[in-house]
Amino acid sequence: MKHIHDFIIVGSGASGSVIAHELMLAGADVLMLEAGKRFSAGTFPDNELDANAQLMWNGGMDASKDASTLFIRGKVVGGGTIINQCLLDRFDDIAWDSWRSQSGIDFFNSQAMSSHYDSVESHLALHYMEKQDWNTNAELYVKVFEQKGYQWAPLRRGQSDCGKGNDCMTCLGGCPRGSKQSMLETFLPKAEKLGLRIQSETTVREIIHGPSFVTVYGYQQGRPVTLHARKVVLASGALGTTELLLRSQLHDILPALGRGFHCHPQWMTVGMFNATIDSHKGAFQAVKSDEPRFRAAGFKLENVFAGPIAIGLLKPGYGFEHQRFMKQYRNMACIEVAVRDQAPGTIRLNNRDRLEIDKPLSDIDRQKANNGNQLVADMFRDLGANEVMTSPLQIGLHLMGGCSIGQDERQSVVNERFQVHGLRNLYIADSSIFPNAPGINPSLTIMAISHKAAQNMLGDCGVTSAFKKQVPGVANV
Ligand SMILES: Cc1cc2nc3c(=O)[nH]c(=O)nc-3n(C[C@H](O)[C@H](O)[C@H](O)COP(=O)(O)OP(=O)(O)OC[C@H]3O[C@@H](n4cnc5c(N)ncnc54)[C@H](O)[C@@H]3O)c2cc1C
């Protein structure tokens, strides 16, 4: 006889892990499926090449249709939170107001979301980067901001104890110290203690929504698997969740599916100095722009750097010139421009059944990038750089949209209870539901929204918080 779980969650990143934890607290029977492998602090790859190959979809080389943008997303238990920098910011009123006006959803405001932020933050160790955390790259960043009269602020990062003298850039390939507050260090172990089962290396291909349960078809290490649950939560990220609904042939009933894709496109500029900068040493990100003029202009400037493979990829050309450039790795300072992109892209399956992401840059977004990049180039010249290189390659790390939330079924995919329109046993609360680009680090808000969504899911099963405390299981959902 087939087993029907209460919930199956597809994806173990920021959204899936928070939802799993909340459902487990209510005693539900939950199975989590994850395409990637499971690693731990002691087993993460120890170099950039292996980390790209083993922790990311397509080795971190998912490109847009016109090959102008590289999209990077985690494929590992813990999802994007394993390979991200864990900078955790709440949305400001500018972001909430634009979400509310685009989606028509009232709870998108700081007040209504604050208890959900409070709740997820209570599970995270949060650290404001202090002056003693700065490396030379951060010092240069602050120096030029102060010279020019721009506001900056310390970054808030999810980390417990990184210790002294550690080079945190390694964390982009999984934190070997168990300090970065990825899902593997926070929500997942707590949920597993409550009985969550995680099936890794299982890629879901299709779902079929029935009146009393949902069937999930996939492959575990190449072998077909068929599973059932009363309710299914898609938490596979903007590209993964959208792809799953497209593969499930749901575009006919969901006209907005695949639309509204955003990615905060980023450009890195390197300033070359005679002195040793060692931007890869210590905390490689410590400060951020906090300048209202930049927010109004639709971009932010990030104090950042990257490993040698990534820097090598960003520099155009080859041969002696490329070698000359890379030999100066220890002399590089770096600032990145991240644009709050207005023009949405589309996600679809092409005629070779492959995911195709169309994200051309609109004139207005290009102008924002040019303004930001020019500012950074001027900053490096003012600091005395003898060479400045802005990479032509755009990078998308914050992948958002494709299944946006809203009240209008023609313009959105998910309703305000986080159910897919017309399919009440199918829920989504991950980065795919973003109605537009907030211009702010997204993962803390993904967690907060997912916390809210999990409460709705339990409510839809008739589980109230009072009931949750008294009854250990929700087997009757
Ligand atoms: C290098 C980098 C740095 C970043 N830095 C920050 C930062 O500092 N702050 C911040 O807020 N954000 C940051 N981000 C973005 C952040 O990590 C993501 O926005 C966030 O993880 C998205 O959460 P999610 O739950 O929507 O999806 P994810 O966390 O991406 O999780 C989705 C999971 O679903 C799995 N999956 C996908 N398809 C399937 C399938 N068909 N079957 C089974 N499993 C599937 C994936 O393997 C993945 O594990 C960064 C991202 C990158 C790449």
Side-chain angles (χ1 to χ4, degrees), residues 127-392:
H127 173 74
Y128 280 97
M129 306 305 274
E130 292 158 16
K131 197 165 181 181
Q132 71 230 36
D133 297 314
W134 296 359
N135 64 10
T136 310
N137 195 29
E139 280 167 13
L140 288 172
Y141 184 98
V142 172
K143 184 176 169 192
V144 75
F145 263 61
E146 292 190 343
Q147 270 173 12
K148 292 192 169 283
Y150 296 137
Q151 287 183 38
W152 61 273
L155 286 169
R156 186 171 76 150
R157 183 164 191 257
Q159 62 178 60
S160 56
D161 181 13
C162 296
K164 284 231 169 298
N166 285 312
D167 301 331
C168 294
M169 210 163 67
T170 338
C171 287
L172 297 179
C175 175
R177 285 167 212 104
S179 170
K180 184 172 77 172
Q181 299 291 282
S182 73
M183 295 299 112
L184 209 51
E185 298 296 335
T186 53
F187 290 91
L188 285 179
K190 288 183 181 178
E192 283 184 298
K193 266 203 185 122
L194 294 164
L196 172 71
R197 281 207 310 117
I198 305 175
Q199 200 167 301
S200 59
E201 296 179 71
T202 304
T203 304
V204 174
R205 286 286 288 184
E206 193 181 347
I207 40 161
I208 295 189
H209 186 276
S212 50
F213 61 85
V214 184
T215 305
V216 173
Y217 298 95
Y219 292 89
Q220 186 180 25
Q221 293 177 326
R223 287 190 317 275
V225 286
T226 304
L227 297 154
H228 310 276
R230 291 176 181 84
K231 297 189 180 292
V232 165
V233 182
L234 300 184
S236 306
L239 299 185
T241 292
T242 307
E243 178 177 7
L244 256 170
L245 292 184
L246 289 166
R247 290 204 184 284
S248 305
Q249 310 285 331
L250 291 170
H251 43 276
D252 290 343
I253 59 161
L254 300 169
L257 180 61
R259 299 204 319 238
F261 175 68
H262 295 265
C263 67
H264 291 161
Q266 307 186 351
W267 287 259
M268 287 170 82
T269 295
V270 168
M272 207 71 83
F273 291 82
N274 291 331
T276 301
I277 307 292
D278 276 349
S279 297
H280 60 294
K281 289 288 191 192
F284 85 107
Q285 286 195 280
V287 286
K288 63 176 180 181
S289 60
D290 194 24
E291 174 54 55
R293 284 172 288 179
F294 297 171
R295 183 80 174 119
F299 62 81
K300 60 177 180 165
L301 303 190
E302 303 212 329
N303 156 231
V304 76
F305 198 51
I309 292 180
I311 294 286
L313 199 69
L314 292 170
K315 163 78 180 156
Y318 51 86
F320 284 129
E321 167 51 21
H322 199 272
Q323 196 179 34
R324 180 199 65 78
F325 182 84
M326 287 306 294
K327 269 186 177 165
Q328 300 174 83
Y329 184 76
R330 297 189 62 193
N331 302 75
M332 295 174 186
C334 183
I335 299 177
E336 181 177 76
V337 172
V339 164
R340 184 182 182 200
D341 47 330
Q342 267 167 262
T346 52
I347 304 168
R348 64 180 202 105
L349 293 175
N350 67 15
N351 52 17
R352 287 182 297 155
D353 205 29
R354 296 227 178 107
L355 204 59
E356 187 175 274
I357 307 151
D358 196 11
K359 186 69 172 80
L361 212 58
S362 66
D363 289 347
I364 191 156
D365 289 334
R366 165 74 60 195
Q367 192 53 49
K368 289 182 205 170
N370 289 346
N371 293 345
N373 285 331
Q374 188 57 52
L375 210 64
V376 175
D378 292 345
M379 285 178 170
F380 279 136
R381 287 197 189 94
D382 287 356
L383 285 167
N386 50 41
E387 185 181 338
V388 177
M389 188 278 299
T390 298
S391 175

